[in-house]
């Protein structure tokens, strides 16, 4: 796989949550004969549909989708695994004469696929268990302070209440003796073993207040569509709230409501607030993609014209 060049045309469509990627991706896929490869760290999980805003089963029957519903919530899934499985899906689509349309909102996963990713430190379950015990006894503040003294760069970019990443950063250091920030620097020095020579990268954007309104509507729709019932069902199936997917937006908020930590109105407002903050972080990720062409969310015809012209020139 070293030095491999994928020369077939590939389309990338990214943007923040609730911007309208699903509708546009379905439109483009039907028009240009694409198959969709999801770039979403949550849509890989089975049984988690409403909170992840997956395309409906009917939509997935109309257009082939890949990397959705492929693992159980108990399974470990990361960017490195995604890059391997996404590349396999891309090869299969190209082999069938189709055009891969890579779409989603997880910037780290996209970077792992397009730019390569340094082999990360594997999970050390013993050290992680010790850190999680310390977290429950000492609290997140103390662990974050400890991280600051060990790896100031990582502590600066990880919020204190993001205990999952605080624990992971400490786990990486205590397992490997090298800080997470140093591992990331090494990743940037590594050259990817795969390169894509015909890549069209499109970003969706809109007025910030308009996006926030869309996010508020998305969050309310999740509630109306039965997010509470979905979380209750997952719990009844025996899935622990400590699993990684339950730390995601929507699921952690609903669990806090079900356990009485938040009342209903607080749950709804914090869900919308945290989703808006997540959208800001997504913009930060995607702004680093040099070749990304930005379009307003309503520019469907202009985007289609661009893709048509690009495919014609590439073929």
């Amino acid at each position: 796989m070293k030095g491999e060049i994928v020369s077939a045309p590939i389309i990338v469509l990214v943007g923040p949550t609730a911007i309208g990627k699903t509708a546009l991706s379905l439109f483009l896929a039907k028009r240009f004969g694409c198959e969709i490869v999801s770039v979403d760290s949550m849509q890989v999980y089975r049984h988690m549909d409403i909170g992840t805003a997956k395309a409906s089963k009917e939509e997935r029957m109309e257009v082939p989708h890949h990397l959705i519903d492929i693992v159980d919530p108990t399974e470990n899934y990361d960017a490195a695994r995604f890059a391997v499985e996404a590349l396999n899906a891309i090869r299969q689509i190209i082999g069938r004469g189709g055009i891969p349309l890579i779409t989603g909102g997880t910037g780290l996963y996209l970077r792992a696929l397009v730019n390569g990713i340094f082999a990360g430190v594997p999970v050390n379950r013993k050290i992680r268990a010790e850190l999680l015990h310390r977290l429950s006894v000492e609290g997140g503040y103390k662990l974050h302070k400890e991280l600051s003294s060990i790896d100031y760069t990582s502590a600066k970019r990880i919020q204190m209440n993001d205990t999952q990443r605080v624990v992971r950063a400490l786990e990486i250091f205590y397992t490997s003796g090298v800080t997470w920030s140093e591992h990331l620097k090494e990743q940037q020095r590594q050259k990817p073993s795969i390169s894509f020579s015909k890549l069209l990268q499109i970003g969706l954007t809109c007025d910030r207040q308009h996006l926030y309104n869309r996010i508020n509507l998305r969050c309310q729709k999740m509630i109306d569509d039965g997010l509470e019932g979905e979380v209750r069902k997952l719990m009844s199936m025996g899935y622990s709230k400590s699993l990684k997917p339950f730390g995601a937006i929507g699921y952690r908020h609903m669990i806090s409501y079900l356990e009485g930590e938040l009342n209903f109105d607080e749950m709804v407002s914090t869900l919308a607030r945290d989703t808006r903050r997540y959208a800001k972080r997504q913009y930060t990720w995607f702004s680093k993609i040099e070749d990304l062409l930005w379009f307003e969310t309503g520019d469907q015809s202009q985007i289609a014209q661009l893709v048509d012209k690009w495919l014609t020139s590439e073929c």
Side-chain angles (χ1 to χ4, degrees), residues 79-203:
R81 179 174 172 183
F82 166 82
V84 172
E85 296 184 349
L87 182 58
N88 288 337
I90 288 169
R91 288 187 179 122
Q92 292 169 14
I93 295 167
I94 293 171
R96 289 189 289 270
I99 299 172
L101 172 53
I102 304 169
T103 184
T106 305
L108 175 62
Y109 280 23
L110 179 63
R111 186 178 72 181
L113 173 63
V114 175
N115 298 327
I117 188 165
F118 178 67
V121 178
V123 172
N124 186 316
R125 299 192 181 280
K126 181 179 179 181
I127 290 178
R128 178 171 292 187
E130 293 171 354
L131 289 167
L132 289 173
H133 175 70
R134 288 184 54 201
L135 176 65
S136 64
V137 174
E138 303 171 19
Y141 171 78
K142 190 164 184 179
L143 263 65
H144 191 270
K145 187 176 180 180
E146 180 175 334
L147 178 61
S148 296
S149 65
I150 294 170
D151 185 2
Y152 178 77
T153 301
S154 292
K156 189 176 180 180
R157 67 181 173 83
I158 300 174
Q159 296 181 1
M160 185 175 65
N161 60 359
D162 192 353
T163 55
Q164 178 178 316
R165 297 177 73 205
V166 171
V167 167
R168 177 58 178 158
L170 290 171
E171 177 192 355
I172 287 172
F173 176 74
Y174 289 131
T175 299
S176 67
V178 178
T179 65
W180 194 357
S181 58
E182 285 300 316
H183 279 285
L184 292 176
K185 286 181 182 178
E186 178 62 24
Q187 174 186 323
Q188 293 171 357
R189 287 193 290 266
Q190 296 287 321
K191 291 185 178 180
S193 57
I194 302 292
S195 62
F196 301 93
S197 62
K198 297 179 181 178
L199 198 65
L200 176 63
Q201 301 191 82
I202 299 168

